[in-house]
Amino acid sequence: MDTDTGTEPTPAVRLELDDIQSGALHERPSPYVGAYLLLRIDDRAAGRELVRRLRPLVDSGQPSSDPAHDAWITVAFTYHGLEALGVPQESLDSFAPEFREGMAARAADLGDVGESSPNNWEAPLGTPDVHVAIATLSPDRARLETVLERARRAHDELPGVEVIWHQDCYQLPTGRTSFGFKDGIGQPAVEGSGIPPTNPRERPLKAGEIILGYPDETGELPPMPAPEVLGRNGTYVVFRKLHTKVAAYRQYLRARAADRQDEALIGAKMVGRWQSGAPLARCPEVDDPDLGSDPARNNDFLYADHPRGFRCPAGAHARRANPRDALEAEGSVDVRLHRMIRRGTSYGPMLPEGVLDDDGADRGIVFVFAGAHLGRQFEFVKTQWLNDGIFIGAPAEKDPLIGANDGTGTFTIPQRPIRRRLSDVPPFVVTRGGEYCFAPGLRALRWLADLDT
Ligand code: HEM
């Protein structure tokens, strides 16, 4: 990783911000409330009419001068959705192979097996019925209702379009996710977006890592769906509804820890950050809530200065998901090719503090990825770094928090004089379903609405 610092240099390319959907480039508000809708298109003309009605509701990545303007809609399509709209076959064939196959078909590779396997997914996730995904996000319920009402008007009275799934999401009162951790901290900056990096030691990514139609980190234009009007300024989006077994997680920590302080420490070692968001790389022994809540400092760190993981274990979730400069010595892995924008949200009620028994409620995260490369970004990170430990010299270890664990794995916490090894790590996260989507640019939405084949 390049550790050049400072503000964004003059970008070599100018991002067409007014054509890019806002959700790919802009952080969600905090607090937030939102809803995800999935729709099926039964009638091609009705589907195109839906796109025509949605297009003016979708905000662009152009910064708005209106501070109240932070409720927005993102629209994306699955392969079957583009097919249902009548996108010509030669164009469908030009999309990334992972997208064409769909997430359910990739399940075995992604570690979606057993309880997480598509057979057990929530209907209709993972089926060819999922065509259109709409995400609405807003700082409060009143504004969300306004946005949802607009979305409703777009699909109401269109007999050939059916809403087939609805998932609410909202920020928990603690401002954290169900396991208790602050999230959404580690994000890459995108060259040309005008949004400064949160990690001053990581140069903004070339725009083509996230938005199609621009050179990426290799200096090349990434493969882009054809025709250009459809692919340009689009991005691939992954969404996964991930149920979190919070009671099981708390029980596991309680059984392994010497006391409450040790519980918090083990929890932090598994994530790479304390619940407050403070990174272990900067405060390995004791939480520093002020650091955790300070956006100017809480992402300002690297790992190569403690290669053996005495501060932050190499197997911790956040270090696996973004090893920063830790793999530079290996020379073969360019971490910048495996970065991603995350737009996850929380769903379901909080398990009250201190409760160790499962209350049966469904709670977790709707994980959302945005990037130009499904294969070398989302799938690579999930399969090579989260579900496998070869890259950190621990082939038997998976990500302790979200890896596809089966109750037999271990998690190693380097410490002196002897390392600590937690055994029998069970699965704490179950995949309830998800899909690979494509979020087109605004011009592309018009092109889709105007298709006449
Ligand atoms: C229920 C599932 C998940 C939970 C509870 C979770 C939780 C977290 C937490 C607490 C952090 C640290 C705070 C932050 O930087 O935002 C984090 C970071 C991160 N996670 Fe996850 N995560 C989940 C799933 C995933 C998945 C499926 C991926 C990718 C395939 C992923 C990729 C990342 C990345 C890239 C980071 C940022 C690392 C950095 O830049 O330091 N996470 N996650």
Side-chain angles (χ1 to χ4, degrees), residues 181 183-186 273 317-318 321-322 324 342 365 367 378 402:
F181 289 84
D183 82 336
I185 309 172
R273 290 183 183 266
H317 170 65
N322 176 18
R324 302 185 183 218
R342 291 174 301 136
I365 281 183
F367 171 86
F378 171 72
I402 75 141

Side-chain angles (χ1 to χ4, degrees), residues 38 67 90 133 151 224 335 381 391 421 423 435 449:
L38 296 180
E90 57 180 328
M224 189 171 75
V335 170
V381 171
F391 81 113
R421 184 160 281 168
S423 56
E435 203 38 274

Side-chain angles (χ1 to χ4, degrees), residues 101-267:
E101 280 187 46
M103 189 186 288
R106 315 284 299 169
D109 285 345
L110 292 172
D112 286 334
V113 294
E115 210 183 338
S116 290
S117 96
N119 300 335
N120 297 321
W121 285 5
E122 201 173 295
L125 301 177
T127 71
D129 277 357
V130 179
H131 293 165
V132 187
I134 301 178
T136 55
L137 269 183
S138 152
D140 53 51
R141 289 212 177 270
R143 266 177 279 182
L144 177 67
E145 215 15 75
T146 314
V147 178
L148 274 175
E149 181 50 34
R150 286 192 215 134
R152 232 173 266 133
R153 263 185 255 135
H155 61 73
D156 260 5
E157 293 160 33
L158 278 178
V161 172
E162 202 73 50
V163 177
I164 53 173
W165 190 75
H166 178 129
Q167 176 67 58
D168 289 325
C169 63
Y170 59 95
Q171 191 165 65
L172 295 175
T174 52
R176 307 207 177 149
T177 52
S178 53
F179 287 129
F181 289 84
K182 183 176 164 74
D183 82 336
I185 309 172
Q187 301 275 25
V190 181
E191 220 179 80
S193 70
I195 301 167
T198 57
N199 179 358
R201 304 166 200 241
E202 184 187 28
R203 233 182 336 110
L205 291 179
K206 293 286 175 211
E209 288 297 315
I210 305 299
I211 308 292
L212 292 161
Y214 304 87
D216 65 17
E217 286 290 325
T218 67
E220 304 288 324
L221 275 176
M224 189 171 75
E228 178 164 346
V229 62
L230 175 60
R232 189 170 178 79
N233 292 323
T235 186
Y236 289 106
V237 171
V238 174
F239 80 87
R240 280 163 79 74
K241 181 175 175 181
L242 300 174
H243 169 75
T244 50
K245 297 184 164 189
V246 180
Y249 166 77
R250 289 183 187 168
Q251 286 167 21
Y252 184 82
L253 295 188
R254 182 66 50 91
R256 262 70 185 175
D259 52 33
R260 294 297 167 86
Q261 217 180 328
D262 192 35
E263 235 173 77
L265 180 69
I266 299 179

Side-chain angles (χ1 to χ4, degrees), residues 146-447:
T146 314
V147 178
L148 274 175
E149 181 50 34
R150 286 192 215 134
R152 232 173 266 133
R153 263 185 255 135
H155 61 73
D156 260 5
E157 293 160 33
L158 278 178
V161 172
E162 202 73 50
V163 177
I164 53 173
W165 190 75
H166 178 129
Q167 176 67 58
D168 289 325
C169 63
Y170 59 95
Q171 191 165 65
L172 295 175
T174 52
R176 307 207 177 149
T177 52
S178 53
F179 287 129
F181 289 84
K182 183 176 164 74
D183 82 336
I185 309 172
Q187 301 275 25
V190 181
E191 220 179 80
S193 70
I195 301 167
T198 57
N199 179 358
R201 304 166 200 241
E202 184 187 28
R203 233 182 336 110
L205 291 179
K206 293 286 175 211
E209 288 297 315
I210 305 299
I211 308 292
L212 292 161
Y214 304 87
D216 65 17
E217 286 290 325
T218 67
E220 304 288 324
L221 275 176
M224 189 171 75
E228 178 164 346
V229 62
L230 175 60
R232 189 170 178 79
N233 292 323
T235 186
Y236 289 106
V237 171
V238 174
F239 80 87
R240 280 163 79 74
K241 181 175 175 181
L242 300 174
H243 169 75
T244 50
K245 297 184 164 189
V246 180
Y249 166 77
R250 289 183 187 168
Q251 286 167 21
Y252 184 82
L253 295 188
R254 182 66 50 91
R256 262 70 185 175
D259 52 33
R260 294 297 167 86
Q261 217 180 328
D262 192 35
E263 235 173 77
L265 180 69
I266 299 179
K269 293 284 182 188
M270 286 162 97
V271 169
R273 290 183 183 266
W274 296 89
Q275 289 198 352
S276 70
L280 289 181
R282 292 189 60 160
C283 49
E285 303 302 334
V286 185
D287 191 6
D288 179 350
D290 288 341
L291 171 60
S293 60
D294 182 354
R297 296 187 296 140
N298 66 11
N299 201 32
D300 180 3
F301 65 92
L302 296 170
Y303 294 119
D305 57 347
H306 61 289
R308 299 182 58 200
F310 287 112
R311 286 159 168 258
C312 175
H317 170 65
R319 183 165 173 168
R320 282 172 174 266
N322 176 18
R324 302 185 183 218
D325 58 342
L327 304 183
E328 270 179 8
E330 268 93 301
S332 56
V333 184
D334 183 352
V335 170
R336 292 173 68 78
L337 300 182
H338 309 293
R339 304 287 286 121
M340 64 183 76
I341 297 279
R342 291 174 301 136
R343 291 281 179 258
T345 57
S346 284
Y347 75 88
M350 224 177 94
L351 186 66
E353 199 74 40
V355 172
L356 265 72
D357 291 325
D358 188 17
D359 60 359
D362 190 13
R363 59 174 60 84
I365 281 183
V366 178
F367 171 86
V368 178
F369 152 104
H373 300 273
L374 282 174
R376 75 160 153 82
Q377 293 171 330
F378 171 72
E379 288 205 348
F380 179 91
V381 171
K382 182 73 175 83
T383 60
Q384 307 299 303
W385 288 353
L386 303 184
N387 285 349
D388 201 319
I390 292 175
F391 81 113
I392 49 168
E397 294 199 2
K398 299 179 169 54
D399 184 305
L401 187 71
I402 75 141
N405 284 298
D406 61 3
T408 62
T410 56
F411 172 57
T412 305
I413 305 176
Q415 63 178 31
R416 293 188 177 95
I418 45 165
R419 68 177 174 226
R420 188 169 181 184
R421 184 160 281 168
L422 306 184
S423 56
D424 307 330
V425 183
F428 295 123
V429 173
V430 179
T431 309
R432 294 269 198 245
E435 203 38 274
Y436 289 161
C437 301
F438 176 68
L442 272 66
R443 272 195 300 271
L445 284 174
R446 191 173 309 127
W447 183 84

